[in-house]
Amino acid sequence: MANKTTDVSAAEVVELLEIDGGEKVIVFGAGNGDLVIPIAHKTKDRVTALEEDESLLEKLALRAEEETLSNIDRMPSGLGRLNFPDASFQRGLAAFVLDNTDNPELAAKEIYRVTIEKGIFLALGYSKDQSADLVADKLQEAGFKVTKGQLHEEVYYVKAYKA
């Protein structure tokens, strides 16, 4: 199976997240770190990488070690109820998972809960799935202000702001 993030520019994702170096970031669907590693390089704070597949978290650990990154916390977890206090993260990313979760309403509410005021959350997904509207609607219903766009013709993004 091809890596879903292969054609996604990490630089564009970091730019959309508006990371300037001091943000605590949570990443859902961290995979083997294709987007986590560049985010960890950009911020001086912690990056919490959530991934259901523990073998991918092991690969992420090896990659982080190779790049001498010590600011990545890896956790086997999905998008259900999150074991983090309210307003724990300044930035968040869901890479190709928010549109595939069993309970997108709960996921959006939990994401909203753990995001600080004026925080930014970014969801990525495949345009062919036509799920950008669903993801945007769920994030908006949770309380975010959202904008939608395309990274390229195959991948959409939904950028959510917590006012």
Side-chain angles (χ1 to χ4, degrees):
M1 182 170 157
N3 186 334
K4 294 178 181 180
T5 59
T6 304
D7 295 327
V8 173
S9 163
E12 281 182 282
V13 170
V14 169
E15 185 177 320
L16 283 166
L17 283 169
E18 300 178 30
I19 296 174
D20 62 20
E23 297 83 8
K24 193 173 195 181
V25 183
I26 187 168
V27 179
F28 301 93
N32 67 3
D34 287 345
L35 296 173
V36 175
I37 297 288
I39 290 169
H41 276 296
K42 187 70 176 176
T43 187
K44 295 177 185 102
D45 209 322
R46 308 298 301 167
V47 178
T48 300
L50 304 179
E51 173 61 54
E52 289 182 331
D53 184 340
E54 291 189 47
S55 67
L56 290 176
L57 287 176
E58 291 172 20
K59 290 177 184 176
L60 171 57
L62 292 173
R63 291 182 68 192
E65 187 177 321
E66 287 171 5
E67 300 207 23
T68 63
L69 287 167
S70 60
N71 64 334
I72 300 172
D73 301 315
R74 299 169 319 280
M75 295 180 63
S77 180
L79 274 166
R81 296 203 185 277
L82 302 173
N83 193 20
F84 300 103
D86 294 356
S88 295
F89 300 95
Q90 288 84 15
R91 301 290 184 267
L93 170 66
F96 306 96
V97 294
L98 193 54
D99 51 356
N100 292 313
T101 185
D102 292 337
N103 192 338
E105 293 86 4
L106 174 61
K109 287 176 184 174
E110 282 292 280
I111 290 164
Y112 185 83
R113 183 184 66 75
V114 301
T115 302
I116 69 162
E117 294 297 319
K118 299 188 181 183
I120 297 172
F121 181 79
L122 187 68
L124 305 178
Y126 285 112
S127 301
K128 68 179 177 165
D129 296 339
Q130 299 179 343
S131 55
D133 290 336
L134 169 73
V135 170
D137 288 347
K138 296 305 174 196
L139 289 170
Q140 198 162 8
E141 288 168 12
F144 286 104
K145 293 181 182 180
V146 301
T147 59
K148 296 183 292 187
Q150 294 289 134
L151 286 178
H152 54 72
E153 87 177 36
E154 292 181 14
V155 176
Y156 73 81
Y157 70 84
V158 176
K159 187 172 182 178
Y161 301 89
K162 186 171 181 180

